[in-house]
Amino acid sequence: MLSPRFLLLRSAASLTSRSFCTGGVLKQGKAPDMAEVRNRLREIVGASTNWSDHQQAMSERMSLSNMLAKSQNDLPVKRMMDSYLEVHLPLGSEPLLREKYLTFHNTVRFGRILEDLDSLAVLISYSHTYNETLKRSPLSIVTALVDKIDMRQHIIYPDCDIKFTGHVTWVGKTSIEAKMHMSQFHDGAYSPVLDATFVMVARDPENKRAAFVNPLKPEGPEEEKLFQEGEANKVRRVDLSTASLLKVAPTDEERMIVHSLFLNTLDTKTVSFRSRVLPPNSAWMEDAKVKGLEICHPQERNIFNRIFGGFLMRKAYELGWANACSYGGCRPSLVAVDDILFQKPVEIGSLLLLSSQVCYTQGNHIQVRVHSEVFDPLTRQHNTTNVFHFTFVSDRDVPNIIPMTYGESMLYLDGKRHFNQTVQP
């Protein structure tokens, strides 16, 4: 769900300045507050506001399966403007709302922004697939991947209004790419804060099988460019998955890096493979971990009665930030979020284990990987649900992170890859 007090606005301007209210998903007229947005979202999927009624509500959704399209060709073509959405977060004029976003250091909690972006991406996707002839959508649209979030500036003011805009930029047969931009009103004008790209997937009413989404037709060279970027992003994701260190060996260059790290930690006095010495201004990777545990209560559920993906991102970010802060010795700033993969949904009642690891450093930059898994205390089984990647920058140079085992060396190389994709030109 979006955070309270979001406002969606309308106008009839061009795509770059138009406010669009989710393709008829919300009612015409006065800009709604968040209570109406939440209620309408529940109406779209037929979700209940009461946790005790969730089983009946979800069983009723099963009957919507016959409304699913048999192929993508059966669905009408949509335009990018059909999904355009503008959302305002009035931190400047709503002191009570500001309290929810405020940090102890008088900045904005970025974890809350991640929650809002996740909700916004869902609304944008439902805008694209909106069918005015259906009372309820048979689609279950969920976040599959946070492809990238690039920070345009590090400072987010807690007492200035924020504006989110976004729309669908690419679709596959069952997937949707949504690009979003966040800006903040300061010194008399809105200035960009971040750009985000999310990949959503459409599932059947039971969230078990893939479902078709409306095709997208770009209009004009600017939209065609966005669509082609979406195609390129898909190819890039496939290439990265193919080259994953979980599947193939490191490159020759990467093997040299690992061996050099190993040689730099050998104890020259003993000349033994097992005797290792930490170089100056360095830290063992084993000593750069911070872990956490969350009990997943119904309060954090999404409209499909699973744990809200934005909540998972907020908790992972805050743990990663705490690790980077502890490691660097000062408060870090976020540079980018990249390649957050949602592998499995998290059920309500789960024990969620979060583990953050500083896996790569360079100068004053810290690359943090957060791994989340659910633990079943009855079966003693662990299942990975998400992997998060955050790039932070510190006010000063930080110690070099040093792997000791082969597994840690692979984490180091993976972190280096993510860092290079994010920071390097």
Side-chain angles (χ1 to χ4, degrees), residues 293-298 306-307 311-312 345-353 373-377 383 385:
L293 166 68
E294 293 290 334
I295 302 175
C296 298
H297 297 291
R306 293 216 171 101
I307 295 300
F311 170 78
L312 301 175
V346 178
E347 301 292 342
I348 294 169
S350 300
L351 294 180
L352 182 69
L353 306 179
E373 61 184 15
V374 290
F375 170 65
D376 188 330
N383 289 299
T385 59

Side-chain angles (χ1 to χ4, degrees), residues 5 10 16 32 73 111 140 159 186-187 189 196 210 232 244 268 275 305 316 350 364:
R5 303 284 184 176
R10 293 179 179 275
T16 54
N73 295 332
S140 300
D159 54 355
H186 186 65
D187 291 336
S244 169
T268 56
S275 182
N305 286 303
S350 300
N364 62 342

Side-chain angles (χ1 to χ4, degrees), residues 29 45 68 72 86 127 200 226 257 260 269 356 360 366 421:
V45 300
L68 292 171
Q72 192 176 44
E86 180 175 305
S127 308
M200 322 299 289
L226 288 173
I257 291 174
S260 177
K269 296 179 181 179
S356 69
Y360 182 74
I366 306 170
Q421 293 167 19

Side-chain angles (χ1 to χ4, degrees), residues 124-377:
I124 288 171
S125 300
Y126 272 118
S127 308
H128 177 77
T129 61
Y130 175 72
N131 185 342
E132 61 183 7
T133 65
L134 300 179
K135 182 180 178 181
R136 293 178 181 174
S137 173
L139 298 176
S140 300
I141 299 178
V142 295
T143 306
L145 174 74
V146 178
D147 190 53
K148 199 168 187 182
I149 301 176
D150 288 318
M151 302 300 297
R152 304 280 294 276
Q153 66 179 39
H154 297 312
I155 300 175
I156 306 177
Y157 301 97
D159 54 355
C160 297
D161 288 356
I162 287 174
K163 178 172 68 177
F164 296 92
T165 60
H167 61 85
V168 171
T169 52
W170 175 88
V171 299
K173 290 187 179 297
T174 62
S175 57
I176 295 173
E177 180 188 89
K179 284 189 181 295
M180 295 164 287
H181 309 280
M182 172 179 153
S183 57
Q184 187 166 43
F185 191 82
H186 186 65
D187 291 336
Y190 277 99
S191 56
V193 175
L194 64 80
D195 303 313
T197 303
F198 280 49
V199 178
M200 322 299 289
V201 291
R203 314 280 289 175
D204 68 4
E206 298 180 72
N207 199 11
K208 291 182 178 180
R209 299 187 306 273
F212 293 107
V213 298
N214 300 69
L216 179 67
K217 182 180 180 181
E219 296 179 335
E222 183 179 345
E223 292 187 10
E224 185 63 40
K225 180 181 178 182
L226 288 173
F227 190 86
Q228 293 303 321
E229 288 177 357
E231 288 282 359
N233 288 338
K234 178 185 177 182
V235 173
R236 173 179 54 83
R237 288 191 291 267
V238 171
D239 291 343
L240 290 175
S241 176
T242 303
S244 169
L245 291 168
L246 293 172
K247 299 178 181 178
V248 297
T251 65
D252 289 342
E253 180 183 357
E254 289 173 333
R255 285 195 286 266
M256 290 298 296
I257 291 174
V258 170
H259 193 64
S260 177
L261 288 169
F262 172 73
L263 292 178
N264 288 338
T265 61
L266 286 180
D267 187 348
T268 56
K269 296 179 181 179
T270 62
V271 195
S272 168
F273 285 111
R274 300 182 63 180
S275 182
R276 308 284 292 278
V277 176
L278 186 66
N281 191 34
S282 301
W284 293 118
M285 192 176 285
E286 174 64 27
D287 299 325
K289 295 181 180 179
V290 176
K291 297 185 177 183
L293 166 68
E294 293 290 334
I295 302 175
C296 298
H297 297 291
Q299 182 184 9
E300 307 302 341
R301 69 186 185 276
N302 61 15
I303 53 179
F304 305 114
N305 286 303
R306 293 216 171 101
I307 295 300
F308 174 41
F311 170 78
L312 301 175
M313 285 195 285
R314 173 164 65 88
K315 289 299 180 179
Y317 167 78
E318 290 175 350
L319 186 70
W321 184 92
N323 196 356
C325 182
S326 173
Y327 187 83
C330 61
R331 296 178 61 247
S333 298
L334 181 68
V335 175
V337 181
D338 131 89
D339 196 24
I340 295 178
L341 182 62
F342 289 78
Q343 297 184 13
K344 292 183 179 180
V346 178
E347 301 292 342
I348 294 169
S350 300
L351 294 180
L352 182 69
L353 306 179
L354 296 165
S355 178
S356 69
Q357 171 74 71
V358 174
C359 55
Y360 182 74
T361 56
Q362 183 172 311
N364 62 342
H365 286 86
I366 306 170
Q367 187 71 33
V368 179
R369 179 183 188 268
V370 180
H371 176 269
S372 73
E373 61 184 15
V374 290
F375 170 65
D376 188 330

Side-chain angles (χ1 to χ4, degrees), residues 379-424:
T379 64
R380 314 296 294 177
Q381 289 185 336
H382 295 252
N383 289 299
T384 297
T385 59
N386 306 82
V387 179
F388 307 83
H389 301 275
F390 303 104
T391 306
F392 296 97
V393 62
S394 181
D395 291 338
R396 65 189 77 149
D397 284 352
V398 300
N400 298 314
I401 197 74
I402 305 295
M404 181 174 286
T405 66
Y406 185 81
E408 289 179 350
S409 297
M410 295 304 100
L411 282 176
Y412 181 92
L413 293 178
D414 185 64
K416 186 176 188 299
R417 288 182 180 184
H418 283 283
F419 175 80
N420 289 340
Q421 293 167 19
T422 299
V423 177
Q424 302 298 327

